[in-house]
Amino acid sequence: MKIAAAAYPLSWLDDWEAYEEKISDWVAGAADEGADLLIFPEYAAMELATLAGPEIAAHPEHSIVAVSEFLPEADALHMRLAAQHGVHICAGSAPFRQPSGRPVNRARLIAPSGLIGWQDKLIMTRFEREEWDIAPGDAAIVFETDLGRIGILTCYDAEFPLNARAMVEAGAEVLLVPSCTEALSGYWRVRIGAMARALESQCVVAHAPLVGSNEWSEAVDTNTGAAAIYGPPDLGFPDTGVIAEGPMNTPCWVIEEVDLAAVRKVRKEGRVLNMVHWREQDDRLEAVQIIGLETDDQDGDARASSLG
């Protein structure tokens, strides 16, 4: 299949037609290049807040409410486009207000059939916890699709291995990483995490970041990143682990064909077998020892001496 990862800029939208035209053009652009799976970034839906006017868009809490209210229409648009072009779309994540009132950061995966599933971000950043009061999701999801089994790690989630591992053990061969990072260091944290997940799980990881500046928002005013697709640096994949990548801070699609048979092969025949050998950590993690190299403790001295 061909995966398309978006480096996507937010826009000021004067009306709904402007949003519909923008998303339609982006989806058509990837579909025309033969893409089967499209991934938009984290918080790409925040531009919907501009439809409520500048005061709402500039207010952190009120903008969340506005985006959540527009979300059903946005999802309906993505569903129509997925069906029209015969593609799967991971729509840009959005704050979605739960019945409790607290929003979650929700990414939605939409099939050409019109079926839709979602993954709520599992681990909140400090900004989401302390400024936005975003609630964490309660489950890691693996989506069974005609393209294969797919998991979504939203931005910060990609910096932690165990949720990804749970998805992979449930059969995921492709992980999607939509992200929104202000600083270059934040982009690299997510990128390093995404590449680490590709390495340890011997799978394909697609990374789609927001890019560009937006004076109308305090929350998504500055965005840094480059879209890319990663794999394990081993048999059948590039030595760097980078299957494809785009330029920094440049709106574009990064589109590349990946073969899931290569994922299955590297997991069985790779020069290293990270996927298989993962479980060898378990017993050792429960039996970590602290050894004093400068201590009067007899056992510590004995062990330290034996290491020499």
Side-chain angles (χ1 to χ4, degrees):
M1 63 173 160
K2 274 190 177 181
I3 298 178
Y8 182 82
L10 300 181
S11 300
W12 178 269
L13 304 169
D14 291 324
D15 50 38
W16 174 262
E17 287 71 24
Y19 178 70
E20 186 167 350
E21 181 179 359
K22 179 182 180 182
I23 295 298
S24 297
D25 286 348
W26 272 80
V27 171
D32 288 347
E33 294 294 323
D36 303 295
L37 173 60
L38 286 57
I39 169 176
F40 286 94
E42 179 185 35
Y43 290 127
M46 287 306 298
E47 62 189 353
L48 290 168
T50 64
L51 296 174
E55 292 185 3
I56 297 295
H59 193 286
E61 183 177 350
H62 294 167
S63 64
I64 286 176
V65 175
V67 172
S68 191
E69 290 176 348
F70 281 112
L71 206 53
E73 293 177 76
D75 284 348
L77 170 61
H78 284 80
M79 292 168 71
R80 291 196 302 272
L81 293 172
Q84 176 185 340
H85 295 283
V87 296
H88 290 70
I89 302 174
C90 181
S93 84
F96 173 77
R97 284 173 65 90
Q98 303 177 102
S100 66
R102 287 188 69 190
V104 290
N105 181 359
R106 177 161 293 180
R108 290 94 59 225
L109 185 62
I110 301 164
S113 64
L115 294 177
I116 183 170
W118 59 82
Q119 173 69 67
D120 296 335
K121 188 173 182 178
L122 298 166
I123 304 175
M124 300 297 103
T125 62
R126 289 193 62 187
F127 179 80
E128 288 170 313
R129 294 167 192 256
E130 299 169 14
E131 302 293 332
W132 265 7
D133 195 29
I134 305 289
D138 57 9
I141 308 296
V142 171
F143 301 96
E144 184 81 65
T145 76
D146 290 343
L147 301 176
R149 292 187 177 179
I150 298 170
I152 301 174
L153 299 167
T154 302
C155 200
Y156 195 40
D157 285 348
E159 298 179 32
F160 300 88
L162 297 185
N163 287 316
R165 182 63 189 189
M167 293 176 182
V168 167
E169 290 188 337
E173 295 174 319
V174 176
L175 299 175
L176 308 181
V177 179
S179 74
C180 170
T181 49
E182 179 179 11
L184 182 63
S185 57
Y187 157 72
W188 273 100
R189 285 194 298 269
V190 176
R191 174 174 174 151
I192 290 167
M195 295 187 74
R197 307 294 79 82
L199 166 67
E200 68 202 12
S201 294
Q202 295 180 289
C203 65
V204 172
V205 179
H207 180 192
L210 278 185
V211 295
S213 300
N214 308 287
E215 296 181 356
W216 46 265
S217 173
E218 294 181 11
V220 287
D221 55 341
T222 304
N223 305 286
T224 301
I229 301 169
Y230 310 119
D234 199 349
L235 180 68
F237 292 91
D239 291 341
T240 61
V242 180
I243 298 171
E245 64 180 329
M248 285 293 298
N249 299 326
T250 303
C252 66
W253 283 112
V254 170
I255 303 175
E256 190 61 55
E257 188 165 358
V258 299
D259 184 0
L260 295 189
V263 171
R264 296 159 199 153
K265 184 174 182 179
V266 76
R267 287 176 173 179
K268 291 181 179 179
E269 303 176 19
R271 296 178 183 87
V272 291
L273 298 174
N274 305 74
M275 175 75 178
V276 174
H277 296 158
W278 176 278
R279 287 294 181 189
E280 295 184 12
Q281 302 174 95
D282 293 354
D283 292 341
R284 297 175 183 86
L285 292 175
E286 295 177 359
V288 174
Q289 301 179 43
I290 299 176
I291 302 299
L293 297 183
E294 296 179 3
T295 178
D296 293 331
D297 179 77
Q298 184 173 358
D299 292 340
D301 279 343
R303 178 62 187 272
S305 298
S306 69
L307 292 175

